[in-house]
Amino acid sequence: MDIRNKRIVITGATSGIGRQLMLLLSKYEGTKIIAVGRQMRHIPIAMNIIPFKTELSEEEGIDALFDFAETEMGGIDIFISNAGAFYCHTHETAQWDDFESMFKTNVFASIYATKKMLELHKGTDSEFLVAITASGLVKLPLPGNPVYMGTKSALEGFIQGVRFEFPPQGHLMGVYPIGVRRISMWEESPMKRWMLHWLQTPRDVARAIIRGIEKNKKSIYPTPLARAAVYLFNAFPFISNWYSRMTIKQLSATAG
């Protein structure tokens, strides 16, 4: 897809991957971007960047976003569903509010936004794209964050199923980072110590996403060697089991 002159919505645009996407995509000729987030002060003042604050975990918040995009830009060509919630804890310590918050933000928001994009482009021949930030952890299941992985696994199932409902001019792209440096959820996580060899910078992930958009990729694995690791873990389950046991020991030692 040619990114020039596209009308773009980015959720989670005030930090991490979303912010880097906003900054990089704003440099393309003719782009117009609605940057969605909670901390508006982190959105730069620019002619082609429009800040918008809404509650993505609620149907009304996403409806308001699409209404705003129609008014300000006349529609949406690229929707990047990047906002996410993360809590790192064992399932024993997780609470109902944690489940609800993560599923609403990580799963329901992307599902509903995709539905809105399909409705928006129904009966048209205009090219459009939906990119959804899932997680490489759905391909490399590891202990330490079962509820978060549950949300991303649900999202992965949705991505693989709904792509059959996209028209020929529509593109759906799943993004599978494993871990991202300088994002608060990883900086504050006890998993950071043993995740270091998987972590990338938000800018590196954003660049990988943009390359994927330009090439109409169906999936993006920004982490180097991630595809090889996925193959090894699935082809040789004993490797996955060994790595998981090692991870549990390291987490226990950190907690202690």
Side-chain angles (χ1 to χ4, degrees):
M1 172 181 275
D2 186 352
I3 294 174
R4 293 174 299 175
N5 301 309
K6 292 297 187 291
R7 301 163 296 179
I8 303 169
V9 171
I10 305 171
T11 68
T14 55
S15 63
I17 299 169
R19 177 174 170 78
Q20 292 302 316
L21 281 168
M22 172 187 64
L23 296 175
L24 293 171
L25 289 170
S26 67
K27 296 177 182 179
Y28 281 74
E29 178 186 348
T31 55
K32 199 168 185 179
I33 300 170
I34 293 179
V36 184
R38 294 178 176 176
Q39 299 176 336
M40 295 291 100
R41 68 181 185 277
H42 292 161
I43 297 177
I45 298 173
M47 291 294 293
N48 63 335
I49 298 177
I50 307 167
F52 187 73
K53 186 175 182 178
T54 191
E55 184 49 68
L56 293 168
S57 63
E58 301 296 336
E59 178 182 357
E60 295 79 7
I62 297 176
D63 286 339
L65 169 58
F66 274 78
D67 289 343
F68 181 76
E70 287 271 23
T71 300
E72 292 293 323
M73 304 190 301
I76 306 170
D77 302 306
I78 298 173
F79 191 101
I80 302 176
S81 187
N82 173 73
F86 176 88
Y87 306 103
C88 180
H89 42 42
T90 64
H91 192 53
E92 181 181 5
T93 59
Q95 302 299 316
W96 181 272
D97 288 346
D98 299 332
F99 309 156
E100 185 174 49
S101 174
M102 279 196 283
F103 269 91
K104 279 188 171 183
T105 303
N106 296 356
V107 184
F108 294 0
S110 291
I111 289 176
Y112 190 56
T114 302
K115 173 182 170 66
K116 298 282 288 185
M117 282 293 286
L118 288 171
E119 291 174 346
L120 183 64
H121 290 272
K122 186 176 181 179
T124 74
D125 58 0
S126 57
E127 187 179 24
F128 70 98
L129 178 141
V130 176
I132 299 175
T133 301
S135 172
L137 292 176
V138 304
K139 309 289 187 178
L140 300 168
L142 298 172
N145 53 353
V147 179
Y148 174 77
M149 285 180 61
T151 66
K152 295 300 184 177
S153 295
L155 201 53
E156 167 66 357
F158 169 73
I159 290 170
Q160 297 308 322
V162 79
R163 68 170 68 254
F164 296 105
E165 300 184 25
F166 270 63
Q169 77 277 15
H171 308 286
L172 177 64
M173 185 173 74
V175 183
Y176 303 96
I178 295 179
V180 183
R181 295 179 186 272
R182 295 193 293 277
I183 288 185
S184 60
M185 74 179 197
W186 289 115
E187 294 300 321
E188 299 165 5
S189 170
M191 294 193 298
K192 178 186 176 183
R193 183 177 179 182
W194 59 265
M195 284 290 291
L196 286 175
H197 52 293
W198 292 111
L199 298 184
Q200 288 182 285
T201 68
R203 194 172 184 84
D204 287 339
V205 177
R207 284 173 172 165
I209 293 172
I210 291 172
R211 289 194 297 269
I213 293 173
E214 292 175 326
K215 296 179 180 180
N216 293 329
K217 292 285 189 179
K218 292 183 178 180
S219 57
I220 296 295
Y221 294 86
T223 307
L225 301 179
R227 284 187 180 273
V230 169
Y231 171 79
L232 287 173
F233 273 41
N234 286 277
F236 305 99
F238 70 90
I239 297 177
S240 175
N241 292 335
W242 169 81
Y243 193 85
S244 295
R245 287 195 298 271
M246 181 183 69
T247 299
I248 291 172
K249 289 181 180 179
Q250 290 177 335
L251 285 173
S252 297
T254 301

